[in-house]
Amino acid sequence: MRRPLPPAERAAGPVVVSGVSSDAHTWNLVFLHLLIEECGHAVRNLGPCVPPDLLVSACLDAVPSLIVLSSVNGHGHRDGLDSIRAVRAEPRLAGVPVVIGGKLDVTGELAPERTRRLLDAGADAVCTDDTGVHRLRAILASRPAHTPLAA
């Protein structure tokens, strides 16, 4: 059910971290921000309740190397689909990998068909179980660290 992430062939931009539109939680985004920085990547954290159009606009500005969507309210599978579809509809973001994770279903276990829908919509990885953090670390390790432009 997992497809390989696109290769990291261009200069590494920041990792964009975002909540989905209906999720007001922030602790997950702070955790991800710190984890991603610990792994050597710059982060642009958009915060909670980010609608798809704002996500796309912010990603066009940031030129990210990776987009990480997170949800803990249990509606991430639905809102994540909207966000992923919006990102994939923008040709300039076509090559940017998207990872979604957290509690994406109110039951706590994402049904395989919902995982498939997220992947079919354009997510490169869906991280929902106890191995999600380890998987994200592996994804980050496979991507070049952010190198800021010289002043």
Side-chain angles (χ1 to χ4, degrees):
M1 283 210 230
R2 296 175 179 164
R3 62 186 196 189
L5 289 175
E9 296 172 351
R10 61 185 170 82
V15 174
V16 168
V17 172
S18 178
V20 295
S21 60
S22 71
D23 198 328
H25 293 91
T26 58
W27 62 266
N28 54 318
L29 303 174
V30 172
F31 171 81
L32 287 169
H33 188 129
L34 294 171
L35 174 74
I36 294 165
E37 282 184 336
E38 180 182 283
C39 292
H41 298 267
V43 178
R44 176 140 186 229
N45 190 335
L46 303 181
C49 298
V50 178
D53 60 331
L54 179 58
L55 174 66
V56 169
S57 176
C59 287
L60 289 172
D61 289 343
V63 190
S65 61
L66 178 68
I67 300 167
V68 177
L69 302 174
S70 178
S71 178
V72 295
N73 73 352
H75 301 289
H77 69 279
R78 183 191 63 223
D79 296 337
L81 276 173
D82 294 340
S83 294
I84 293 163
R85 287 176 177 148
V87 167
R88 292 298 174 235
E90 173 51 60
R92 292 172 287 177
L93 299 174
V96 179
V98 178
V99 175
I100 185 167
K103 185 178 176 196
L104 302 178
D105 190 298
V106 293
T107 66
E109 287 189 36
L110 192 62
E113 65 271 7
R114 287 188 170 166
T115 299
R116 172 59 38 216
R117 287 180 66 203
L118 290 165
L119 293 170
D120 289 347
D124 295 282
V126 179
C127 303
T128 59
D129 57 18
D130 294 342
T131 64
V133 170
H134 300 294
R135 180 127 192 263
L136 180 58
R137 280 185 183 274
I139 290 166
L140 292 166
S142 73
R143 312 212 54 84
H146 177 68
T147 50
L149 298 174

